[in-house]
Amino acid sequence: MKILKTAPKLILLFIATLIASCTYEPVDGTVEPDPNSGGNGESGIFKADFNGSTWTAKETEAIISGNFIQIAAINAKGESFGIMLDGSTVGTYAANVNLVSYSPAGTEFGYLAINDNNPDENTGSVIITSINTANKTISGTFQFKGYWSDVPNTKTPITFTNGVFKDIRKPYYYKYYWS
């Protein structure tokens, strides 16, 4: 049971670190994206509604490798979403058995789509509607009820609705994703 409480925090920390470390800043401003990688520098669209407003990403990326899909999004404030799915095809994925999270800026904790008090609770889903291997993009929708990951300091759960990601690309600086 202790692993169940610690694992989501470690995964959330991993995704937050991945998102924060994936900023591309050319030294001289003349470096162009690798045309062989599938990305053209465009970030794609990632949005979700919660707390009475729409959250919109500034940067996004997606990785499909082996039997997993990972989608990351961050906005200008440093808030981020992370989605990690056990699978690599179009379809519907249950949020409570995969990693779906939102992290506010300035904290190592976030809202996870798993209820520690009821791990079997249906907290939502991620629907992958399109994987374009030629253009190396992924699109879909999501919605979930997020529970605060700092278990001793619980907060009211947040419901994330109307989540959409469209044409999210792989990182153009890494050639080995999208196997």
Side-chain angles (χ1 to χ4, degrees):
M1 188 63 160
K2 188 175 184 177
I3 291 175
L4 222 171
K5 291 183 179 184
T6 305
K9 292 176 191 174
L10 293 174
I11 294 170
L12 181 63
L13 181 60
F14 168 76
I15 288 178
T17 303
L18 177 70
I19 291 169
S21 67
C22 291
T23 302
Y24 169 74
E25 296 181 25
V27 175
D28 63 3
T30 61
V31 178
E32 295 295 323
D34 179 356
N36 298 318
S37 69
N40 65 4
E42 296 175 3
S43 187
I45 296 169
F46 191 107
K47 296 181 179 185
D49 294 339
F50 65 97
N51 292 341
S53 62
T54 300
W55 185 97
T56 304
K58 178 182 176 188
E59 296 180 32
T60 62
E61 70 178 31
I63 300 167
I64 300 176
S65 182
N67 196 37
F68 81 89
I69 296 171
Q70 182 175 319
I71 302 167
I74 190 167
N75 70 5
K77 297 178 187 176
E79 302 165 333
S80 61
F81 276 89
I83 299 172
M84 187 178 288
L85 305 174
D86 183 21
S88 59
T89 61
V90 169
T92 301
Y93 297 85
N96 66 324
V97 295
N98 290 283
L99 179 66
V100 183
S101 67
Y102 164 77
S103 296
T107 181
E108 63 191 74
F109 300 104
Y111 291 89
L112 303 175
I114 188 162
N115 181 350
D116 278 342
N117 296 323
N118 182 9
D120 294 329
E121 177 185 349
N122 178 1
T123 56
S125 63
V126 177
I127 302 171
I128 304 298
T129 57
S130 170
I131 297 174
N132 185 325
T133 55
N135 291 330
K136 309 234 186 288
T137 61
I138 187 168
S139 300
T141 61
F142 67 96
Q143 54 83 28
F144 71 99
K145 183 177 183 179
Y147 291 88
W148 188 242
S149 63
D150 185 11
V151 177
N153 300 307
T154 60
K155 294 183 178 187
T156 303
I158 294 178
T159 301
F160 299 87
T161 60
N162 302 316
V164 63
F165 49 95
K166 184 176 181 195
D167 297 330
I168 306 298
R169 296 184 176 276
K170 76 173 190 168
Y172 58 83
Y173 50 83
Y174 196 89
K175 295 181 181 181
Y176 302 106
Y177 295 140
W178 295 77
S179 58

